Amino acid sequence: MRLKAVYQGRMSIVMRILPAVLLSAGAASAVPPLSVSLAGTTAAPAAAPAEAPPRAFFEALRAADLRLATIGYRLTSANAALCDRLQPQIGMPIHALNQYSAEARPNALSVFGFETRLGVEAVVADGPAARAGVRSGDSIQLLAGKRQPGIGAADTAESPADRDAAEALIAAQPPGAPIAMTVLRDGRAVTVSIPAVAGCRSRFEILLGSGLDASADGAVVQIGEKYFEGYSDAEIAVIVAHELAHNILRHRDRLDAAKISRGLMAELGRNGRLIRQTEDEADRLSVYLLANAGFDPRSAPQFWREKGGTIDGGLFRSRTHASSKARATALDAAVQDIARRPERPILPADVLALRTQPLR
């Protein structure tokens, strides 16, 4: 997927999303159309006053976030040996009450049970947080020795700053070292020690209102919400692995160092050629990431053959990306290489060596 030129932050958009369903591991959860704002950076003006989203929206959002967190945890933890930048991975997406708009907060409180401003949205099954006894709906009081904000006023300005600060605190801890956390659970303080595992430095977000877009900025992978409306976990993993590969291969840094122009100039000359080079590199690495994490690597070429036209725009695709057919053919070669190599994790040294090479 396209590596966005100027990464503008976290989820920040006034949305009209989830018009039909969000699927959780194949089972549909009906969600009516709604408008809600999750804050981050710039947001488009709403066409009409936002309505309070129903409880079903938040339940569907949690189910989708858990799917993404589970895929992300598998990929980052299984591929730690391929990454030169690591962080603790704990299998626990967190969120903050003040990420939600004022009209959304009453139902967010009801569904997620915030007792502090920062909460555990979900817990990856069999992940470090789950093994430590963390539960979905816990409210975080202390994290790595640092007190987290209290619930605060209901009219606190919309901002992801508290969530981002907590995520940064986790990322700054020694990879693989236990992380101490105290949560409030029905008013009772519970202290746990999360046996974090070392994983590739990345975290994962659903980018609401963005359709089938996906992007990576070197530390965060964002996936459009429409992938959770009928795509299987294996298919979503293909997209996530591609974006994670961008981060592992330091594509944003390398493109910046090469002074690549994006936006309207992205398709032209050297700009288009070098962006296309990073896309091809990410495709190659992504198949190894999938295999190391226990996904069937054949799902990548299959995805581009079956779904590629929908994703890349067919005849109207950006020329910074190969056609779906060409991508599938190139990925077939990586699949054949993986079939000859029984070791796990596989370290594709030729691809990994590219992350230190300037783009020319």
Side-chain angles (χ1 to χ4, degrees), residues 125-286:
D126 300 321
R131 293 195 296 271
V134 179
R135 299 180 187 174
S136 174
D138 283 348
S139 296
I140 303 173
Q141 188 177 55
L142 287 167
L143 179 62
K146 184 172 182 179
R147 184 166 293 276
Q148 299 302 302
I151 197 72
D155 60 353
T156 306
E158 238 178 289
S159 170
D162 292 326
R163 188 278 312 272
D164 290 351
E167 293 280 11
L169 182 60
I170 292 170
Q173 302 308 303
I179 295 178
M181 185 170 74
T182 298
V183 301
L184 292 180
R185 185 180 298 160
D186 297 325
R188 182 171 62 94
V190 178
T191 297
V192 298
S193 178
I194 302 175
V197 301
C200 303
R201 176 160 289 192
S202 282
R203 64 184 180 86
F204 304 87
E205 295 177 347
I206 295 175
L207 186 60
L208 299 170
S210 67
L212 292 170
D213 288 344
S215 66
D217 78 331
V220 181
V221 167
Q222 291 186 324
I223 304 296
E225 93 281 346
K226 284 192 175 293
Y227 285 105
F228 299 87
E229 294 179 15
Y231 288 78
S232 69
D233 286 355
E235 292 170 331
I236 295 170
V238 172
I239 301 301
V240 175
H242 176 92
E243 298 303 333
L244 177 60
H246 278 308
N247 285 351
I248 293 171
L249 295 174
R250 303 195 178 199
H251 281 153
R252 177 172 178 170
D253 291 345
R254 291 165 63 203
L255 286 167
D256 286 347
K259 302 187 185 315
I260 291 303
S261 297
R262 282 90 157 194
L264 295 176
M265 303 295 290
E267 305 266 340
L268 304 178
R270 178 174 177 270
N271 296 325
R273 176 175 61 80
L274 292 186
I275 294 173
R276 168 71 174 270
Q277 181 178 328
T278 65
E279 295 299 331
D280 292 345
E281 289 176 7
D283 271 350
R284 288 173 61 198
L285 181 58
S286 70

Side-chain angles (χ1 to χ4, degrees), residues 80-99:
L82 283 67
C83 297
D84 61 351
R85 294 187 291 191
L86 300 172
Q87 72 171 70
Q89 292 292 347
I90 60 178
M92 187 187 80
I94 59 179
H95 60 163
L97 178 61
N98 56 339
Q99 282 180 257

Side-chain angles (χ1 to χ4, degrees), residues 9 12 20 49 58 61-62 77 100 120 149 163 180 195 229 242 273 287 308 323 326-327 347:
S12 169
F58 297 102
L61 181 61
R62 175 158 54 191
S77 59
Y100 301 97
V120 177
R163 188 278 312 272
E229 294 179 15
H242 176 92
R273 176 175 61 80
V287 188
S323 68
R327 295 178 85 161
L347 277 67

